[in-house]
């Protein structure tokens, strides 16, 4: 269900996570209730028994449609952690993809309510200079934060460190010379 990823040179995918399902319980419960009510009514009332499939389509069809679209949207949402960046992608009709470099992540933290803590779920938030990025509600969020922090600690930038101090060195004045400007030859009239 996810689109093909283009990896950079030397980039290795480490973890791919599908976040916690949200909004699936109520449509599923409505679907089961509609099916049970139609079956129960078909056993009791002759009219419902004659038009059982039509009533099933009218009552259970929208619940099934909502359940399937939410399942599809949930399964299309992915969080990928590589050795260089964190990629969040998802969407069914309107696909989105956002990524953040590991060198840009200053810290990671977990937000959990009491019920989420008991169910070992929570939202992972990444702090960057540009702001906070919410990855979403995932299972075992503290484990994901530990993986991200471990990758951040082991990440080496091949560039110049941020705390480097550059000093100006005067060039040797004898290496360079200035060419005098050329004068244009004036044409003399004869």
């Amino acid at each position: 269900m996810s689109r093909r990823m283009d990896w950079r040179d030397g980039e290795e995918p480490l973890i791919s996570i599908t976040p916690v399902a949200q909004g699936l319980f109520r449509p599923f419960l409505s679907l089961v209730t509609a099916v049970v009510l139609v079956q129960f009514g078909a056993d009791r009332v002759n009219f419902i028994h004659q038009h059982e499939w039509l009533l099933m389509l009218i009552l259970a069809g929208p619940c099934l449609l909502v359940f399937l679209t939410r399942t599809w949207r949930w399964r299309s949402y992915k969080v990928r952690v590589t050795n260089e960046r964190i990629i969040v992608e998802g969407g069914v009709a309107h696909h989105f993809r956002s990524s953040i470099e590991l060198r840009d992540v200053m810290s990671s933290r977990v937000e959990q309510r009491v019920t989420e803590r008991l169910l070992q779920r929570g939202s992972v938030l990444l702090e960057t200079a540009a702001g906070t990025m919410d990855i979403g509600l995932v299972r075992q969020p503290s484990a994901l934060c530990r993986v991200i922090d471990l990758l951040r600690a082991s990440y080496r930038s091949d560039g110049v460190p941020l705390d480097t101090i550059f000093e100006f060195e005067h060039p040797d004045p004898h290496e360079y010379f200035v060419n005098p400007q050329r004068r244009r030859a004036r044409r003399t009239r004869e």
Side-chain angles (χ1 to χ4, degrees):
M1 289 190 173
S2 65
R3 290 171 169 75
R4 186 179 176 279
M5 287 295 300
D6 293 327
W7 304 111
R8 299 175 182 168
D9 291 338
E11 186 175 26
E12 300 171 9
L14 301 175
I15 302 171
S16 180
I17 301 168
T18 301
V20 175
Q22 291 179 320
L24 292 177
F25 182 70
R26 288 182 182 151
F28 181 72
L29 189 62
S30 301
L31 175 67
V32 170
T33 304
V35 169
V36 167
L37 286 176
V38 169
Q39 289 295 322
F40 182 74
D43 291 342
R44 305 285 188 265
V45 180
N46 190 25
F47 176 76
I48 295 176
H49 181 68
Q50 291 174 353
H51 302 288
E52 182 178 353
W53 288 107
L54 181 63
L55 288 172
M56 190 79 72
L57 183 66
I58 291 171
L59 294 176
C63 298
L64 180 65
L65 182 66
V66 168
F67 179 72
L68 290 177
T69 55
R70 287 187 181 178
T71 303
W72 190 15
R73 185 180 66 201
W74 165 58
R75 295 298 296 166
S76 69
Y77 190 87
K78 296 276 186 205
V79 176
R80 300 180 201 286
V81 179
T82 67
N83 60 344
E84 293 181 7
R85 58 186 171 155
I86 300 164
I87 306 161
V88 179
E89 68 174 334
V92 179
H94 178 70
H95 185 77
F96 70 91
R97 179 179 294 158
S98 62
S99 68
I100 185 166
E101 301 290 327
L102 281 174
R103 67 176 175 258
D104 295 338
V105 176
M106 292 187 289
S107 67
S108 62
R109 63 184 167 100
V110 176
E111 278 190 3
Q112 291 177 311
R113 288 185 244 150
V114 175
T115 56
E116 291 173 344
R117 196 170 295 140
L118 292 172
L119 296 172
Q120 296 181 352
R121 298 177 179 176
S123 294
V124 175
L125 301 171
L126 302 174
E127 300 291 334
T128 64
T132 303
M133 180 179 178
D134 186 7
I135 289 183
L137 192 66
V138 295
R139 290 181 188 89
Q140 305 289 340
S142 56
L144 181 60
C145 280
R146 283 192 303 268
V147 167
I148 291 171
D149 289 340
L150 181 68
L151 287 171
R152 277 185 38 240
S154 66
Y155 183 75
R156 284 192 323 248
S157 176
D158 293 335
V160 177
L162 296 175
D163 60 348
T164 303
I165 298 173
F166 295 98
E167 295 179 2
F168 180 72
E169 294 180 14
H170 290 284
D172 185 18
H174 299 291
E175 286 184 22
Y176 303 103
F177 60 93
V178 178
N179 289 333
Q181 293 181 351
R182 291 185 182 181
R183 293 188 173 188
R184 293 184 186 171
R186 293 186 181 175
R187 293 185 191 178
T188 59
R189 293 185 186 181
E190 294 179 27

